[in-house]
Amino acid sequence: MSVDRSVEFTGIHFENPFLLSSAPPTESESNILRAFDAGWGGVVTKTIGLHPVVNVYGAKAKFQRTSPDDASVSMKKRPGAALHSSWNWELISDKPLDWWAPRIRRIKDAFPNRVLVASIMAGSGNDKELRHWQELAEACQAQGADALELNFSCPHMDRRDMGSNIGKDQGLCSVVTEAVKAVATIPVWCKLTPATPDIVVEAAACFRGGADAIVSSNTFPSLPMIDPETLEFEINVDGLVSSGGMGGPAILPLSLAKMAQLTQAFPDRDFSGIGGISDFSQALSYILLGCGTVQVCTAAMLDHAVGPNVIRKLNAGLDDFLERHATDGWKRIADFRGIRRDRVVLQSAIRRPDEAGYNAGFEAVEGYATPLPDDEIAGNS
Ligand SMILES: Cc1cc2nc3c(=O)[nH]c(=O)nc-3n(C[C@H](O)[C@H](O)[C@H](O)COP(=O)(O)O)c2cc1C
């Protein structure tokens, strides 16, 4: 039986809802062509900036594994260990815009029906820098990019007005989105950092600026482990390390929690989910919470650099799911997207053996400690 894997997302038609996220798998023309050959519905380019980038000495990304016997987390390879996470301190693309522009055109010419999203990033401290965002947006869309993803989430930026520092500042989120929307002729997605107390605040700001979708999560800020023998960080340069980003299985539940907040606050908006996806079961959690597309990085890095087996499994898992649920009348993703969004509720709404006298562990309260009304919790205030 043939099934319909396609989705419409921010007005774009996708053959399937699975994208490679902005990261090493999408850092070159040859990788992206291989990814489309392998069957990915879309690709988000490694983030493109205007200014040269030089990465640190040595490895820019590594994998952390955990052992069943002692539950330790370490980058050291050992038998029987399972993947825990990826850890990276890689900056944005070290290739300039001039390098990317003709390649975007060639990739689109080779795969006109696949979706190519250009991830872009600049500073945001003054009008000149806002103009940089516009320059990047105009150049990428002129070469045929289908959408723009604004990187408000790179965790490695020292400057207060770049990367995840934009994603922590609702004013900057709004201003940069608005600046890009002023010149964009294609949809604009904003990729937010999860490193903020209430991601709904920054998402609302992006929507105020005109964003067509929110993407979450980028990697979570984290440090590598300190080796108990050498007392050195497992990844370091001259003994020094800076805060890096963690991805992969370890962030899946964290990222789902961020996504649930987002989709509950904005049930009618478009969301692309990322974090810890390696097969359809994980993608399904994001879709059931309301995501229209999902993106993958760590699992693809570990599978021939662009994830040919990962996309095969994702597509096969979706096909199998649709076939099993044909009797429910589900023919495509749109038929079940978001059906578990409203199952995330306040602790007090969960049934318990003895409801009598339950008051969440405190006396009846007034004023400051009064629980928030539902509409404030949902971010609608
Ligand atoms: C080595 C590495 C480099 C990355 N570079 C970028 C980047 O340039 N731009 C971006 O938006 N996200 C970047 N990311 C974040 C990923 O796109 C993704 O959001 C994150 O890894 C979580 O997904 P995962 O759990 O599937 O790995 C990078 C991740 C890794 C591991």
Side-chain angles (χ1 to χ4, degrees), residues 21-22 24 46-47 88 90 151 191 217-218 248 274-276 297-298:
S21 70
S22 175
K46 176 80 188 161
T47 300
N88 88 88
E90 174 177 282
N151 184 337
K191 184 170 177 182
S217 290
N218 202 315
I274 321 183
C297 166
T298 299

Side-chain angles (χ1 to χ4, degrees), residues 107-156:
I107 294 165
K108 273 310 292 181
D109 287 347
F111 287 96
N113 298 326
R114 300 295 173 81
V115 178
L116 184 60
V117 182
S119 169
I120 58 173
M121 183 207 269
S124 55
N126 55 43
D127 286 352
K128 186 174 162 214
E129 294 193 314
L130 290 178
R131 180 66 204 139
H132 290 160
W133 282 97
Q134 296 180 324
E135 202 177 315
L136 288 161
E138 286 171 321
C140 294
Q141 72 191 12
Q143 297 302 326
D146 296 290
L148 299 163
E149 186 178 275
L150 312 188
N151 184 337
F152 295 168
S153 50
C154 176
H156 322 299

Side-chain angles (χ1 to χ4, degrees), residues 270-284:
D270 279 326
F271 294 94
S272 188
I274 321 183
I277 297 173
S278 61
D279 70 23
F280 184 68
S281 62
Q282 298 114 16
L284 180 62

Side-chain angles (χ1 to χ4, degrees), residues 87-360:
W87 189 88
N88 88 88
W89 52 356
E90 174 177 282
L91 299 172
I92 63 171
S93 176
D94 52 10
K95 313 281 196 322
L97 177 61
D98 289 355
W99 185 92
W100 275 103
R103 285 166 178 81
I104 290 173
R105 169 64 62 198
R106 286 206 292 266
I107 294 165
K108 273 310 292 181
D109 287 347
F111 287 96
N113 298 326
R114 300 295 173 81
V115 178
L116 184 60
V117 182
S119 169
I120 58 173
M121 183 207 269
S124 55
N126 55 43
D127 286 352
K128 186 174 162 214
E129 294 193 314
L130 290 178
R131 180 66 204 139
H132 290 160
W133 282 97
Q134 296 180 324
E135 202 177 315
L136 288 161
E138 286 171 321
C140 294
Q141 72 191 12
Q143 297 302 326
D146 296 290
L148 299 163
E149 186 178 275
L150 312 188
N151 184 337
F152 295 168
S153 50
C154 176
H156 322 299
M157 309 308 304
D158 292 349
R159 274 180 56 168
R160 289 178 59 91
D161 64 335
M162 289 188 88
S164 61
N165 292 329
I166 297 183
K168 292 173 191 166
D169 181 323
Q170 55 169 318
L172 290 180
C173 284
S174 204
V175 164
V176 175
T177 308
E178 204 173 338
V180 174
K181 282 295 284 188
V183 300
T185 53
I186 53 179
V188 174
W189 308 355
C190 297
K191 184 170 177 182
L192 290 179
T193 177
T196 164
D198 186 1
I199 196 167
V200 169
V201 170
E202 292 82 26
C206 293
F207 286 135
R208 279 199 299 279
D212 297 284
I214 300 294
V215 182
S216 174
S217 290
N218 202 315
T219 49
F220 283 66
S222 62
L223 288 177
M225 298 304 296
I226 299 175
D227 185 314
E229 299 303 321
T230 64
L231 307 188
E232 297 291 349
F233 286 99
E234 286 189 332
I235 182 169
N236 70 77
V237 175
D238 305 329
L240 301 177
V241 71
S242 67
S243 178
M246 189 168 75
I251 71 165
L252 173 64
L254 303 172
S255 184
L256 284 178
K258 294 284 175 187
M259 193 46 76
Q261 279 183 275
L262 289 165
T263 58
Q264 285 199 338
F266 309 101
D268 301 325
R269 295 297 199 140
D270 279 326
F271 294 94
S272 188
I274 321 183
I277 297 173
S278 61
D279 70 23
F280 184 68
S281 62
Q282 298 114 16
L284 180 62
S285 287
Y286 285 97
I287 294 166
L288 293 174
L289 287 175
C291 290
T293 59
V294 294
Q295 305 185 20
V296 177
C297 166
T298 299
M301 285 170 74
L302 285 164
D303 173 26
H304 302 84
V306 297
N309 295 303
V310 175
I311 183 59
R312 194 176 41 73
K313 276 199 300 179
L314 286 166
N315 277 330
L318 173 57
D319 293 355
D320 180 58
F321 183 83
L322 286 172
E323 279 169 18
R324 280 191 289 120
H325 287 277
T327 49
D328 298 317
W330 296 351
K331 296 192 177 63
R332 56 189 71 81
I333 291 219
D335 295 332
F336 58 93
R337 182 166 71 85
I339 62 167
R340 289 293 174 266
R341 188 183 53 223
D342 298 330
R343 293 287 181 94
V344 184
V345 295
L346 290 181
Q347 161 74 216
S348 54
I350 307 287
R351 190 165 62 87
R352 56 201 72 240
D354 182 6
E355 302 280 349
Y358 167 71
N359 202 17

